[in-house]
Amino acid sequence: MQSNTATEKPPVTKAYNGKDRNDLLFGWNPQAELWNGRFAMIGFLAYLLWDLNGYSVVRNLLHLVG
C-alpha cells in the first residue's frame, strides 16, 4: 500500500529549542504565553458578562468623576 505524502499529517514537535514545551519553565516561553492568553480571554469574558448584568466598574467610575 502506497502512502500519499500530501494527506499525511506532519510530526508533532515536542521540543522548543531542545526543551520539552510542557516542562516547568520560568520566564517568557511559549507555554506561559498560551496560559496568559487563555486567562486574559477568561477575564475579558467574565467582565463582559458582569457588565451585561448591569454591574459596570467603568460606568460607575464615569458617574463618580462627572
Side-chain angles (χ1 to χ4, degrees):
M1 180 175 190
Q2 294 179 345
S3 64
N4 188 355
T5 57
T7 58
E8 289 180 5
K9 294 181 180 178
V12 176
T13 304
K14 295 187 178 188
Y16 174 76
N17 290 340
K19 297 180 181 178
D20 187 7
R21 289 182 184 207
N22 293 322
D23 277 348
L24 183 61
L25 301 172
F26 293 103
W28 300 95
N29 58 62
Q31 192 68 20
E33 291 301 308
L34 286 174
W35 281 106
N36 187 22
R38 289 172 183 158
F39 286 132
M41 287 184 277
I42 290 170
F44 181 76
L45 181 63
Y47 181 76
L48 180 65
L49 292 174
W50 185 265
D51 191 47
L52 289 174
N53 281 323
Y55 305 103
S56 177
V57 175
V58 175
R59 216 175 317 139
N60 291 343
L61 287 177
L62 290 177
H63 286 294
L64 290 176
V65 172

